[in-house]
Amino acid sequence: MRLADLGERSGVPLATVKYYLREGLLPPGRRINATQSEYDESHLRRLRLVRAMIQVGRIPVATVREVLAHVDDDSLGRTVRLGAALWALPHPAEETPGTPPDVEDPSRAAALLLVDELLDRLGWSTARELGALSPAHRALVSTLATLHRLGYPLGADDLLPYARTMEQAAVHDLDRTDLLPTDRERAEYAVASAVLFEPVLLNLRRLAQSEESSRRHGL
């Protein structure tokens, strides 16, 4: 398809498509003459992903470029490729990058011990080994430390049921991801899910809470 067709099929204005090409967010098409290139379904898929990250996820262009660099890195194994792409996404609760943590903060110390205990009890060895290298680990510690500081401390027994539920969700996620034919498409799908599907899970939880409350206590 031509560039105009790509814009029409995606619903993205042509000027925006050209901007994404200039910024390296969309791979160049196959050159067919001096002034025209041809684009395929992979460009359409990538364009929709970029649009979702920027419009829905409110992710800065520079971060989108970093995420997509990992998605497109064929030198990485499947797990590392997927993990690197997800790590590059913003993690709102994470401690500010480059800021040394307050090692004397008792709430943070308690949160670190809690996360270590939780991961040990779950048997999540990869998460345990990666530790503070993982943005998700840092964000979890930061959030639990804040809860502790505000007088809402949690224990491993409190978190285990949620973690087990997430474990089952991860199985379902990977079952769906593994149906895709290439590692690049799998990484793209994982990024799209992080941006678009996590709000679905959040709102399902809130609906479920409302439903359970009405069952127990009525309206």
Side-chain angles (χ1 to χ4, degrees):
M1 73 186 92
R2 304 296 172 87
L3 192 63
D5 299 324
L6 182 63
E8 184 177 349
R9 286 188 59 188
S10 66
V12 178
L14 186 57
T16 304
V17 178
K18 291 179 178 178
Y19 169 71
Y20 291 164
L21 281 166
R22 289 196 303 272
E23 291 295 318
L25 306 182
L26 192 65
R30 183 178 65 85
R31 181 72 68 181
I32 55 177
N33 59 45
T35 60
Q36 290 184 319
S37 296
E38 188 174 58
Y39 302 86
D40 58 25
E41 294 298 320
S42 69
H43 291 90
L44 182 61
R45 187 180 68 245
R46 175 58 61 86
L47 182 55
R48 287 169 173 161
L49 175 61
V50 169
R51 196 64 163 166
M53 293 172 73
I54 292 175
Q55 274 204 329
V56 180
R58 306 294 182 190
I59 300 173
V61 167
T63 304
V64 173
R65 190 184 297 110
E66 181 184 358
V67 171
L68 295 178
H70 295 305
V71 167
D72 292 333
D73 190 345
D74 292 329
S75 71
L76 300 177
R78 183 182 300 185
T79 298
V80 174
R81 185 179 198 159
L82 187 149
L86 293 179
W87 281 18
L89 289 171
H91 291 71
E94 184 185 354
E95 294 164 342
T96 304
T99 303
D102 183 357
V103 294
E104 296 183 0
D105 177 4
S107 294
R108 185 178 183 277
L112 278 168
L113 289 173
L114 172 57
V115 172
D116 285 347
E117 179 188 352
L118 179 67
L119 296 179
D120 283 341
R121 290 176 64 177
L122 289 164
W124 291 3
S125 57
T126 300
R128 188 75 163 85
E129 289 169 12
L130 291 172
L133 292 174
S134 166
H137 184 284
R138 294 196 297 268
L140 179 59
V141 169
S142 179
T143 302
L144 291 172
T146 300
L147 286 167
H148 186 276
R149 219 172 279 124
L150 294 175
Y152 300 101
L154 293 170
D157 288 338
D158 300 312
L159 294 172
L160 269 171
Y162 295 99
R164 291 297 185 197
T165 299
M166 291 300 100
E167 199 169 42
Q168 290 304 307
V171 170
H172 189 58
D173 287 342
L174 269 294
D175 285 345
R176 289 174 59 84
T177 303
D178 287 346
L179 294 174
L180 297 170
T182 68
D183 285 350
R184 182 169 301 180
E185 288 175 76
R186 295 180 189 109
E188 286 180 339
Y189 179 79
V191 170
S193 293
V195 174
L196 299 173
F197 196 65
E198 286 184 2
V200 173
L201 298 178
L202 171 62
N203 288 297
L204 281 173
R205 179 174 181 262
R206 289 177 178 173
L207 288 170
Q209 287 174 333
S210 177
E211 190 69 20
E212 182 62 21
S213 181
S214 70
R215 286 175 185 156
R216 295 186 184 195
H217 311 299
L219 297 176

